[in-house]
Each structure stands twice: as structure tokens, then as C-alpha cells.
Amino acid sequence: MQTLLRLSRPLLCIARSLPRVAFARSAKLSTASVAASSVNQEEIQFFSRLSSQWWDESGEFGLLHKMNPVRVQFVKNKIFETVHDDGFEEIAEREKNGKILDGLDVLDVGCGGGLLSESLARLGANTLGVDASASNITIASLHAAQDPALCRTSALGNVPLQYRNAAAEELVEEPKRFDVVCSMEVIEHVDNPAAFLRSCAELVKVSYELNSPGGHLFLSTVSRTPLAYFLTILAAEKLLQLVEPGTHTFSKYVKPAELIEFFQKPLGAAGRPWISHVYDGMPVRQEAEVRGMAYLPWKGAWTLAPRGAFGSTECNYLFWVRKPLSSRV
Amino acid sequence: MRFNYLVDTGAWKSVEESRVASIEEMQVWDGLSDARITFNANEANIGHNNGQAPHMATMTENLNLQRALLRSLDASGVAEIIDNTKVSRIEKDTRNGGWPLVHTSNGEVLRARLLVGADGPNSPVRSYAGIESYGWAYDTRAIVATLNHAPRLAGLQKQSKTAYQRFLPTGPIAFLPLSPTSSSLVWSTKPTLAAALTATDPQALVHMINAAFRLPEVSIRYLHRFVLDEKQQMSSDALLEEIRWRERAHVIDQHSVFSSHAFDGIGIPPSDAEMLPPLVTSIQPGSVASFPLRLSHADSYIGEGEHGSRTALLGDAAHTIHPLAGQGLNMGLADAQALAECIQSAVLVGGDIGSRTALLPYARARYFENHKLLSATDKLHKLYSSTFSPVVWVRSVGLEVVNELDTLKAAIMMTAGSSSSVQKQRFDASSWATAARSVELAGSAWRAATSVGKTVEGVLAAGLSNLLTSSGRR
Ligand SMILES: Cc1cc2nc3c(=O)[nH]c(=O)nc-3n(C[C@H](O)[C@H](O)[C@H](O)COP(=O)(O)OP(=O)(O)OC[C@H]3O[C@@H](n4cnc5c(N)ncnc54)[C@H](O)[C@@H]3O)c2cc1C
């Protein structure tokens, strides 16, 4: 009874959960080629079945599907705001035709089945989705291949969406950098969050324009609070068994303050901190922002909490930070 | 009609104005007790939008609206119309993610990201999606026709802006003005009678229509035999004689508005002339048709799972309603508006518009709204089909009580045609609060009805049915 009462609160936390049962077989197949064209029929069928989990909107991933529009909205808002602050007028035009990310190079680290990558690509971004799991990449590629809008090559020869089986650390070794790097519901699953964050930050473009800051880093995760423990682990895994037990490890949850603190320190020997100062523990709007997200069961939808709303970042939250001017890191 | 939506989308510009009538008043009365309710847009202070005179509903023929919509689509240049073509088959693209493949009669195959079923009550899209539909056929058919009549005399201009509906035990008969000399008929009645009336000599139908608005119910029932029974069929002149004989029997004065004698233009017209529609003189050739009436509501507006992914239903494909409240088209337009808004917000966040996640807000916005109207209209139909006298008494009291409560009437008018989102918002904010207050004053039966929502057919029906269940159960 107590549980049910508590659960009926407006806040419901989730974090991405991998369908472990389904993926048990995938280790064997991790050497399979990623390109859809070279996968044999039997493999396609196997992956399609897996894919039906990632893309089954009423299944275990339903809440994540519903969360997606809110994450995209946050990315859009911040890009719009900063481009506006930087004094580029044409952004309003882009907003109108729905292609607000037109021409931007966007990286989705830990893309899973491609939920976020597909949306970013539809908004005009040249999107690269990477995931350490080869089967995730195959699933994501197969799903995108069904959608002609995502695999059509543009007049300039750009393909709006591409996937690669790689870890963020591997990309750091390559020269390519991105206007926007997103890593949603990933950091709570990695072993060394500090190293992971450093790699993501490194992949963000440095600005070559005079007086203009660099690219953007977006994260979303779950805070390490009693409420988050209660909702994501005790309730979701143990009591209600909404997701596989073992999906989340409480000690890996990251608090917003810890992210802010991380970016207040220089990330490399020569670099500047991304967050120069904080007021009441919060960064200035031009440097970084933390926004809570909550699921409203009676609306069947997630909502982006208003800026600074009390208690809104106790569970699921989004984080944005921007590479500072003339930072090399 | 959801008038503002049509204006906002620009479609209204292409409508032929001479075939559009603004309804400022609605007269509704009970066929057995003659209890009458008058809705007046001026009184209720609604409909002051787009710089027009206050009106409660806008009437036009389906054809006029359809032509305008096609023209404005053409002008927009964003849509491609494949006309004179039927959908011959829909199948699932099983090898490529289950997108619907639409085969057309001209041999094309279209692969749809989102397949919208706006394909009417026998929706092929609904069958493809495997969506079940719940409901039943009414033992009723609706006769539709375009009627000609003399223009209103000076001083009675209002009449061409008044809609009339009389509830007979066999079903409601409605007279909806289109222009000063033509109006539209929707006459819901028993299937056998509908078949006979549509097959009969059009002039006999003219007399039957005039009588159906005027004669006491016993006489109307008596007249049915002359169209139903082949052996008793008579010429239209003989039918008119029969009607006049019955008028004399009911002591209906020849100069009264209830008489089948047209006002001869001499002297002053009867003072109660506005209580009834003008006498019909003829029927536009080819305009008579009849349709079976059904209540139906699809179990879901968006397809799901194995078969139905990437489908959405709207309009009559999703629901059919008894025409007594004139809501069919409105509901479809409201669906279209909600679906368009839903698609737009999905596009703005890079969503896949065929996905369940993107479409769910559409279903949430419309399903319950439509359900309320469907059940309220169904209750009204049942209520007025009865000749059982306590029921007649209760519903007459119902009509007269409503007549006294202006805010409730306003609410009825809001739902009976002209509602638009702008009006609705204004209404929600202040008038509804007033309406709710007067509902409370009127006693607990009304208060219970507020929970039914803003459909005042709902208020009416729920309030009355509360009373009815006790009397009906004896
Ligand atoms: C007797 C009667 C009186 C009514 N009176 C009123 C009234 O006074 N006021 C009011 O608001 N509403 C009224 N209605 C309701 C109103 O007519 C409907 O609600 C409205 O027309 C529904 O529109 P729709 O586009 O959903 O369906 P429809 O108008 O049925 O349109 C469906 C379309 O799909 C097409 N189609 C179907 N199958 C295929 C296929 N395989 N291939 C290609 N095309 C196909 C059809 O040709 C048709 O054009 C009345 C209805 C009836 C029956």
C-alpha cells in the first residue's frame, strides 16, 4: 500500500535498461558486420526480433520512447538559445521549417536502438550514433534502413544518419569533432564516469570563430538520491519488476552537483574550466544548465520541469554544458 | 461546424458564400407534448467572432465545403491528390518494418509512414488495422433532401436564420436553412417509412414533410398508412385533402401557422409564424436520399501491434453518430484538427509521425470527447423515441427547465454546431463557471450532470435519465 501511494507521485524515474535476456545471445554475434547489406537473412531475423524490443513502444522501452521528445526539446531549446545569444538570426528561419539542427555534426554516444539518433537526424543534423554493443548498432541500422527519409543521400552527398560500433574513447583517437555531443541515459552504466566524461568533452568542437564559444555537450541521467533509489531500483526492479533486476546500480548514479563540480575544474593541462563560476551551486545560463524531467502518469507523458523548480532534479535530469572560448580541451 | 478552424486554415475562403447560412436561432420541440425550447445566439451572446453577426451554427451543403477544401488544398501546393482512384488493397510490408502498402486501382503502390483512415463508416483502413468497432444500428434511417420554399416576408427575415427540429416518436425531423428559399431536411424515421417516403411521388413527400412539422402526432401516425400501405396509396392531391381534413378535425384555423394553406400575402402574417419553418413547395430533383443510422465507436484511434502500426482513424471511420445533434461533421473536423496538431508537434521534435508515441496525444485528445457526445446523443435518441407518458412528461419538463437557464442553453449551442477553439476557451474560462453555478442552483440532478462534462446534451440526458431510470423500472 505504502509503495502504491508513493508511486502515485508525479515523479517516476527511469533509466535506460538493456533487455538482458534478449542480449544474452548477442555476444556470439558481436563480430557480425554492422552494414545491413552484408548481414545474412537468418541474422536479420534474429536482429529484427531484438529490434522489436527496442522499438516496441508499448513494451519495456515505452517510457524511454515517451521521454525522447522531452530530451530533443531540451537539445533544441539550448541550441536555439545559444545561437540566438551568439547573434545568428537565421536560426528562427530554421526553427520554422523544422530543421533546427540543419548542417550540424551531431554525435550520439551510447545510441542503443537509435531512438535519439533518428530524431536528431530528422531535425537536419548529420548524425553519427555510436554504441559499444555491436548488436545495438545492427538493430539501429536495420531500423533506420526501413525509413527512406533517414537513408537518402542529400544533394551534397551527406547521409543524415550513420551508425558505428565504437566506444567514445576510440573516437577521441580520430580527428573528427562534433558541434553537439549527446549521451543520454549512459553515464550511470559506465565503469569510469570521469574518463567517460573527459572523452565526451574532448569530442566537442572547438570554435574557430573569434569570440564564439565551442560546441555543446548534452547528458541525461538519474540523480543519486533516496527518491531515485526508491523509484528506479526498489520499486521498478524489485517490487514491481518493471525492468530486469540489476538494470541499475545505485552507486553509479550521478548527482547534478557532481557534474557541475566536474566541469568547474580544467579538463586538461592547458584548458579552461567549462563552468567558470556558480551562484548558489548553479552555473550561469550561458555556460551550463540542469533541468529536471518528470513522468506525469495522468498525461501519459514526460515533462521538462521549469528552470530551477524545487526538487525537480531529484531523479531524472538533463544536463547541458558548452565548451568555452579558446579552450583546447 | 468548427468554423474558426476552417477560417484559420484558409479553407473557408473558397466556400461559395451564397450557399452558406448562419443560424442565429434554433427551435426544438417535443412531438407529443409540444414543450418547446428556443436557442438564440444573441441572447446567449456567443458567436461574435470574425466580425460576423452573432450566430450559433453555420450551415452549408457537404458538397460546397468539400469543393472549398479541395480548392484550398490545390492552392497550397503541398498535397498531391490522386482522384478518381480507389484503394483496392492494403497490405503490410512485412520485410521492411511493417509499413502499410496501399495498392490503388490505377496500379500504384504507396508505402505509408502514416496511413490516416478518413474513409468513412466502412473504413478499409480500420479493417486493415484490425481495429474493432463497438456499437449498434438504430432501427432508423435518415432521409435527406434539399427543400424549396417561398422567401420570408419582410419582417420575418429571421426565419431564414432559424433551424427547426421536432422530436417525433419515430425520430427527429430537422429543417436547416441554406438560403432564403432553400433548406436542408434531415428526417430520421423507421426504415420502412423512410423507404416508402423516398420512393413516393416527391409532391406527396412535400405534403408529408409539411404535416410532420405541423399536425399533432396521432394524425401524422394516421397519415403513414397512405404511404406505407400499397392498397391505400393515393395521389398527392388526395393526400393534401386528407391532411386538410385532419386539420379541420383538430380545429386548426386556415390562417394559422399550423395550417397547410400558404399565407396568401393579404393582411398581416400570423403572429406565431416564426414558430414553424416555411411551407415547403417542392424538393430539388435528385436531392432525396436515405442513410441507415448507426452508433459506432472504434476501440482505438491508432493501430497497434502486428497489423495496425502506422495507422490512425478519424471522422466517420472512427465513429458514427445519430444526426439529431448535427455533430457528425464537427467531430470529424475536431479530429482532423487534433491529429494535425499532434503531427506538427511530433515533427518539431524530430519524431516519427507514424509511431505510437507520436500519435498517442491525438487519441488522448479526442477519444473521450467523442465518447461523451456519442453517448449523450444516443441517450437523447432513446429518450425521445418513447411515447410512455411519464417519460414524455419528464422530458418536457426537461425542455422547459433548460429554456429558463440561459447559460445552459448557451452550452447546448456551443456543442450543437458552431463551437471553435477560440470560443471554447472563452467559454471555458468564464461562461462555464457561470453555467456550472446555475446548474448547482437547479438541484442535484443537474449537478450530477456537470461531471459528464461540457456537452450539455450530456447535461440534459444525464439529468433526465437519472429521473427516467426510476420511472422506467416500475
Ligand atoms: C443522413 C445523415 C445526415 C447527417 N447530417 C449531418 C448534419 O446535419 N450535420 C453534420 O455535421 N453531420 C451530419 N452527418 C454526418 C456527416 O455526414 C459525417 O459525419 C461526415 O460526412 C463524415 O465525414 P468523413 O470524411 O469522416 O466520412 P465520409 O464523408 O463518409 O467520407 C469518406 C470518404 O472515403 C472515401 N472512400 C471510402 N473507401 C474508399 C476506398 N476504398 N478508396 C478510396 N476512397 C474511399 C469515400 O469515397 C468518401 O469520400 C449526417 C450523416 C448522415 C448519414
Side-chain angles (χ1 to χ4, degrees):
Chain A
M1 195 58 215
Q2 186 65 21
T3 331
L4 289 177
L5 282 177
R6 289 293 300 276
L7 265 184
S8 65
R9 291 176 56 122
L11 224 56
L12 182 56
C13 300
I14 67 154
R16 201 185 61 200
S17 53
L18 300 175
R20 273 151 213 264
V21 184
F23 279 85
R25 250 189 81 189
S26 64
K28 229 183 358 196
L29 292 156
S30 60
T31 50
S33 166
V34 164
S37 58
S38 57
V39 182
N40 76 29
Q41 201 56 39
E42 202 185 318
E43 283 170 347
I44 288 183
Q45 296 212 330
F46 172 72
F47 284 122
S48 299
R49 270 201 302 279
L50 285 189
S51 155
S52 71
Q53 291 224 24
W54 264 109
W55 288 96
D56 175 4
E57 295 168 74
S58 21
E60 194 174 334
F61 288 86
L63 277 177
L64 195 64
H65 278 271
K66 287 182 175 166
M67 185 197 264
N68 204 38
V70 176
R71 304 192 300 199
V72 177
Q73 190 62 48
F74 181 70
V75 171
K76 274 184 59 177
N77 288 355
K78 289 315 296 185
I79 301 282
F80 187 89
E81 227 175 273
T82 51
V83 176
H84 210 304
D85 285 351
D86 294 352
F88 293 108
E89 299 293 333
E90 89 281 16
I91 191 78
E93 199 51 45
R94 276 201 241 156
E95 166 75 5
K96 240 187 279 162
N97 66 23
K99 298 268 180 204
I100 195 157
L101 304 180
D102 222 2
L104 297 181
D105 290 327
V106 176
L107 174 68
D108 180 10
V109 179
C111 62
L115 270 63
L116 179 71
S117 297
E118 287 197 4
S119 294
L120 296 170
R122 282 198 196 89
L123 291 174
N126 303 318
T127 311
L128 174 64
V130 297
D131 201 292
S133 149
S135 52
N136 276 352
I137 289 300
T138 312
I139 289 160
S141 317
L142 272 174
H143 190 268
Q146 296 161 3
D147 190 337
L150 296 175
C151 29
R152 200 168 21 225
T153 317
S154 78
L156 297 170
N158 291 330
V159 183
L161 179 57
Q162 284 179 313
Y163 288 112
R164 256 179 77 183
N165 175 206
E169 291 73 17
E170 292 172 64
L171 296 185
V172 171
E173 304 301 316
E174 300 170 14
K176 172 98 180 162
R177 293 294 178 262
F178 301 84
D179 296 296
V180 176
V181 174
C182 301
S183 185
M184 305 295 200
E185 322 307 320
V186 174
I187 193 168
E188 70 272 19
H189 294 284
V190 304
D191 285 333
N192 186 345
F196 177 77
L197 278 180
R198 223 168 278 125
S199 300
C200 289
E202 173 69 46
L203 287 163
V204 177
K205 250 184 212 174
V206 178
S207 169
Y208 296 107
E209 309 229 357
L210 215 57
N211 291 329
S212 165
H216 309 259
L217 175 62
F218 289 92
L219 303 168
S220 73
T221 185
V222 191
S223 186
R224 197 173 64 255
T225 61
L227 178 67
Y229 174 78
F230 177 77
L231 289 173
T232 63
I233 298 179
L234 189 65
E237 291 184 13
K238 304 210 164 106
L239 297 173
L240 302 174
Q241 296 176 354
L242 291 174
V243 295
E244 283 288 312
T247 295
H248 299 115
T249 312
F250 183 65
S251 60
K252 285 185 173 179
Y253 287 3
V254 182
K255 291 181 176 182
E258 291 163 346
L259 285 178
I260 292 169
E261 199 188 316
F262 180 88
F263 284 99
Q264 276 184 280
K265 294 184 197 126
L267 296 186
R272 287 211 286 170
W274 290 27
I275 297 175
S276 57
H277 33 258
V278 294
Y279 302 96
D280 275 348
M282 280 297 152
V284 293
R285 188 179 59 83
Q286 290 80 1
E287 290 184 346
E289 185 170 336
V290 179
R291 287 285 283 278
M293 255 190 299
Y295 183 72
L296 310 176
W298 62 89
K299 279 194 169 166
W302 287 81
T303 182
L304 195 59
R307 211 171 257 153
F310 177 76
S312 65
T313 59
E314 287 284 287
C315 199
N316 289 89
Y317 68 95
L318 289 149
F319 178 80
W320 164 83
V321 65
R322 193 172 186 191
K323 195 164 226 172
L325 185 68
S326 75
S327 168
R328 290 286 129 203
V329 184
Chain B
M1 246 187 291
R2 289 181 78 85
F3 189 73
N4 277 8
Y5 181 51
L6 292 172
V7 172
D8 293 346
T9 55
W12 195 252
K13 284 201 295 274
S14 313
V15 163
E16 202 179 312
E17 289 281 354
S18 65
R19 302 294 294 182
V20 175
S22 295
I23 295 184
E24 292 171 7
E25 195 170 288
M26 219 182 262
Q27 300 254 1
V28 179
W29 69 103
D30 192 314
L32 289 185
S33 71
D34 277 338
R36 187 177 280 260
I37 177 168
T38 306
F39 302 131
N40 188 299
N42 256 321
E43 228 173 76
N45 203 22
I46 58 161
H48 293 273
N49 51 332
N50 297 303
Q52 295 189 333
H55 63 282
M56 46 199 275
T58 305
M59 285 294 306
T60 191
E61 295 128 302
N62 218 358
L63 200 65
N64 191 7
L65 183 61
Q66 279 168 350
R67 212 185 300 128
L69 288 169
L70 284 174
R71 272 193 213 132
S72 91
L73 254 192
D74 248 358
S76 75
V78 292
E80 184 191 341
I81 297 170
I82 308 175
D83 53 8
N84 294 317
T85 308
K86 267 190 85 98
V87 170
S88 46
R89 192 159 60 88
I90 309 170
E91 65 171 342
K92 186 177 152 181
D93 187 359
T94 36
R95 288 187 312 147
N96 289 301
W99 291 35
L101 295 176
V102 178
H103 295 253
T104 63
S105 55
N106 61 5
E108 273 187 279
V109 181
L110 309 164
R111 186 167 181 266
R113 176 185 298 280
L114 170 62
L115 176 61
V116 176
D119 45 358
N122 300 316
S123 171
V125 172
R126 195 183 59 227
S127 326
Y128 163 75
I131 299 175
E132 297 289 325
S133 169
Y134 154 94
W136 49 81
Y138 292 113
D139 181 26
T140 307
R141 280 182 86 89
I143 306 168
V144 294
T146 306
L147 312 173
N148 296 322
H149 45 77
R152 284 291 139 187
L153 295 163
L156 281 181
Q157 295 300 357
K158 202 166 147 198
Q159 207 159 12
S160 65
K161 300 197 186 272
T162 304
Y164 297 87
Q165 177 150 274
R166 184 182 191 192
F167 281 91
L168 294 165
T170 42
I173 178 167
F175 183 100
L176 310 156
L178 289 173
S179 78
T181 57
S182 64
S183 296
S184 178
L185 170 82
V186 183
W187 185 356
S188 309
T189 190
K190 296 286 165 221
T192 44
L193 194 57
L197 285 167
T198 46
T200 188
D201 166 19
Q203 205 52 41
L205 179 56
V206 164
H207 297 319
M208 290 300 280
I209 293 167
N210 286 333
F213 279 107
R214 286 167 174 77
L215 280 183
E217 200 270 335
V218 275
S219 287
I220 298 171
R221 225 181 314 147
Y222 176 80
L223 289 175
H224 288 167
R225 72 178 64 175
F226 300 113
V227 285
L228 280 175
D229 188 344
E230 270 182 37
K231 277 181 248 127
Q232 296 196 50
Q233 269 185 10
M234 48 169 71
S235 72
S236 64
D237 286 344
L239 186 64
L240 183 60
E241 258 330 294
E242 184 64 39
I243 289 171
R244 292 199 164 149
W245 190 87
R246 308 230 32 113
E247 285 173 358
R248 284 192 294 278
H250 291 294
V251 208
I252 293 172
D253 185 86
Q254 199 179 311
H255 300 289
S256 145
V257 65
F258 290 95
S259 156
S260 58
H261 292 273
F263 174 61
D264 51 17
I266 302 167
I268 48 165
S271 60
D272 50 1
E274 286 178 8
M275 290 180 73
L276 288 179
L279 278 170
V280 177
T281 51
S282 63
I283 291 175
Q284 287 184 12
S287 72
V288 182
S290 87
F291 301 90
L293 299 184
R294 276 188 67 80
L295 169 110
S296 64
H297 203 186
D299 287 350
S300 159
Y301 290 176
I302 53 183
E304 240 181 286
E306 267 301 283
H307 298 290
S309 62
R310 300 185 176 277
T311 54
L313 301 178
L314 63 79
D316 277 22
H319 40 71
T320 57
I321 190 169
H322 194 294
L324 70 86
Q327 287 300 307
L329 178 67
N330 259 333
M331 291 165 81
L333 286 173
D335 293 349
Q337 181 175 10
L339 182 59
E341 283 165 5
C342 178
I343 289 175
Q344 191 182 18
S345 45
V347 166
L348 285 177
V349 290
D352 175 352
I353 62 166
S355 68
R356 184 182 153 76
T357 308
L359 295 170
L360 218 49
Y362 159 64
R364 285 182 92 98
R366 293 303 306 158
Y367 199 90
F368 187 55
E369 282 300 309
N370 287 336
H371 188 79
K372 282 189 296 189
L373 265 181
L374 286 166
S375 59
T377 309
D378 183 52
K379 283 199 190 103
L380 275 183
H381 165 74
K382 297 221 168 87
L383 195 57
Y384 282 99
S385 312
S386 178
T387 50
F388 180 59
S389 62
V391 177
V392 174
W393 177 81
V394 162
R395 76 188 179 211
S396 305
V397 171
L399 280 183
E400 276 161 12
V401 169
V402 171
N403 211 2
E404 297 308 310
L405 292 171
D406 285 347
T407 40
L408 274 179
K409 289 200 294 181
I412 292 187
M413 287 188 286
M414 298 311 297
T415 58
S418 68
S419 72
S420 65
S421 46
V422 177
Q423 283 180 4
K424 245 197 183 140
Q425 272 165 12
R426 202 191 308 148
F427 185 75
D428 279 346
S430 55
S431 323
W432 180 249
T434 325
R437 255 178 271 127
S438 34
V439 162
E440 258 162 34
L441 290 178
S444 61
W446 293 110
R447 199 177 316 122
T450 48
S451 63
V452 175
K454 276 160 262 177
T455 52
V456 175
E457 285 100 329
V459 172
L460 226 162
L464 295 181
S465 64
N466 282 347
L467 293 167
L468 282 178
T469 36
S470 46
S471 61
R473 244 190 241 132
R474 290 183 311 176

